[in-house]
Amino acid sequence: MTREQYILATQQNSLPRTEHPQFYPVGIYGWRKRCLYFFVLLLLVTMIVNLAMTIWILKVMNFTVDGMGNLRVTKKGIRLEGISEFLLPLYVKEIHSRKDSPLVLQSDRNVTVNARNHMGQLTGQLTVGADAVEAQCKRFEVRASDSGKVLFSADEDEIVIGADRLKVTGTEGAVFGHSVETPHIRAEPSQDLKLESPTRSLVMEAPRGVQVNAAAGDLKATCRKELHLQSTEGEIFLNADTIRLGNLPVGSFSSSSSFSSSSSPSSSAPRQTIYELCACPSGKLYLSPAGAGSTCQSSSNICLWS
């Protein structure tokens, strides 16, 4: 086959056919296209709404570079201005207010502050409720703000009051169930000091002495049964311009040397104006007419009264 014949043969094969060709469209048409446009439009509207809501939230919550709302993030920590409410537990190392405003912790029920050790065990608790303030700890201390002096401390063994003066303003005074150890008890100026034991005895003891002083008033000791003034090694010294012992029995002298303390001197006997204070061997006191027939110098049994 020559070259010309080959070219003619190939040209005949490349001639277009006279049959009707089939076309296949490429793309999305019809209802699919409409649904796609609808979803694209819906996505666009949603994005616009979300953007508008985000801008609105940022504006309402006052979001800034430093924080949001009343919350500000500083180099020293977090700063809250105004009233803040916490619905979940708050874990912080230190809470303090501004220098010109107090710190207020408020709750509808109570405010509880807990302290725990490194193992998570509760070591201290302070609860401020509507009825009482409760503190559970090994040692409770109240210190002065300026000097740091312990004003009050309490533990299982003792309670210490470090103030210079303890003042009780109640009308019923202070009630102690057991012993009280103190170097000084004093009433307010122009007020009476009263130590009373309604159902038991009142005992005052000191290794070097007990001093009771009423600088501008009277000193009164009252008991129901017996009043004992006892000195084991020293003496009982009464120093006053006038010492009066009221309601003492009066003894009388007779020729039979019998004395009766329960009866007063006879009306027929001469009236005496001077009496002697006599003491029985048992320690009882009585009054006796002074004179030659003094019962204090008689060797007879003069303690017939009881």
Side-chain angles (χ1 to χ4, degrees):
M1 180 180 295
T2 62
R3 181 177 180 182
E4 290 78 1
Q5 293 177 352
Y6 175 76
I7 294 174
L8 292 174
T10 55
Q11 288 179 357
Q12 291 177 0
N13 292 333
S14 62
L15 292 175
R17 298 179 180 179
T18 59
E19 298 178 356
H20 298 284
Q22 296 181 358
F23 297 96
Y24 297 96
V26 178
I28 301 175
Y29 300 95
W31 62 274
R32 295 184 181 88
K33 185 177 181 180
R34 289 190 294 269
C35 291
L36 179 60
Y37 288 162
F38 174 75
F39 285 120
V40 172
L41 181 60
L42 181 61
L43 180 60
L44 182 60
V45 172
T46 305
M47 292 177 60
I48 295 175
V49 172
N50 289 337
L51 182 59
M53 291 293 294
T54 303
I55 296 175
W56 179 77
I57 292 175
L58 291 176
K59 184 177 180 181
V60 171
M61 300 298 294
N62 194 13
F63 276 96
T64 60
V65 180
D66 298 332
M68 57 170 290
N70 297 329
L71 179 64
R72 294 291 183 269
V73 179
T74 62
K75 295 181 180 180
K76 297 181 179 180
I78 298 177
R79 179 178 178 180
L80 289 174
E81 298 179 356
I83 300 176
S84 302
E85 182 178 357
F86 299 93
L87 302 179
L88 296 177
L90 176 64
Y91 300 93
V92 295
K93 182 179 180 181
E94 181 181 356
I95 299 177
H96 62 87
S97 63
R98 296 186 301 179
K99 296 182 179 180
D100 56 348
S101 62
L103 177 63
V104 180
L105 301 178
Q106 184 176 356
S107 175
D108 294 338
R109 295 185 179 180
N110 54 43
V111 177
T112 303
V113 180
N114 295 332
R116 301 180 182 273
N117 55 12
H118 63 280
M119 300 179 60
Q121 298 177 353
L122 183 63
T123 58
Q125 184 181 68
L126 178 63
T127 302
V128 181
D131 299 331
V133 178
E134 298 179 359
Q136 299 180 4
C137 55
K138 293 182 179 180
R139 182 177 178 84
F140 180 77
E141 292 185 356
V142 178
R143 294 180 176 269
S145 59
D146 51 355
S147 62
K149 179 182 178 182
V150 178
L151 301 179
F152 177 84
S153 65
D155 54 17
E156 295 181 357
D157 298 330
E158 64 179 2
I159 296 177
V160 178
I161 298 177
D164 297 334
R165 179 171 58 181
L166 174 62
K167 184 176 181 181
V168 181
T169 59
T171 56
E172 298 295 332
V175 180
F176 300 95
H178 299 282
S179 62
V180 179
E181 182 178 354
T182 176
H184 192 192
I185 299 178
R186 182 179 64 183
E188 286 292 327
S190 303
Q191 298 293 331
D192 297 333
L193 175 62
K194 185 176 182 181
L195 302 178
E196 181 181 2
S197 179
T199 58
R200 293 293 186 271
S201 60
L202 178 62
V203 180
M204 292 186 293
E205 296 180 353
R208 294 188 178 181
V210 177
Q211 181 180 1
V212 182
N213 184 17
D218 299 335
L219 177 62
K220 183 177 181 182
T222 305
C223 64
R224 183 175 182 182
K225 291 184 178 181
E226 296 179 355
L227 176 63
H228 296 274
L229 299 177
Q230 182 179 0
S231 177
T232 57
E233 297 181 358
E235 62 181 0
I236 298 177
F237 181 69
L238 300 178
N239 184 12
D241 295 338
T242 303
I243 299 177
R244 296 182 180 181
L245 301 175
N247 299 326
L248 289 179
V250 179
S252 61
F253 175 77
S254 62
S255 59
S256 60
S257 299
S258 60
F259 310 98
S260 175
S261 62
S262 60
S263 61
S264 303
S266 176
S267 59
S268 61
R271 183 173 299 176
Q272 301 290 335
T273 59
I274 301 176
Y275 295 91
E276 293 181 346
L277 178 63
C278 303
C280 297
S282 61
K284 295 182 180 181
L285 302 178
Y286 71 98
L287 294 179
S288 176
S294 175
T295 58
C296 291
Q297 299 177 357
S298 176
S299 58
S300 304
N301 186 10
I302 61 176
C303 295
L304 301 178
W305 49 277
S306 57

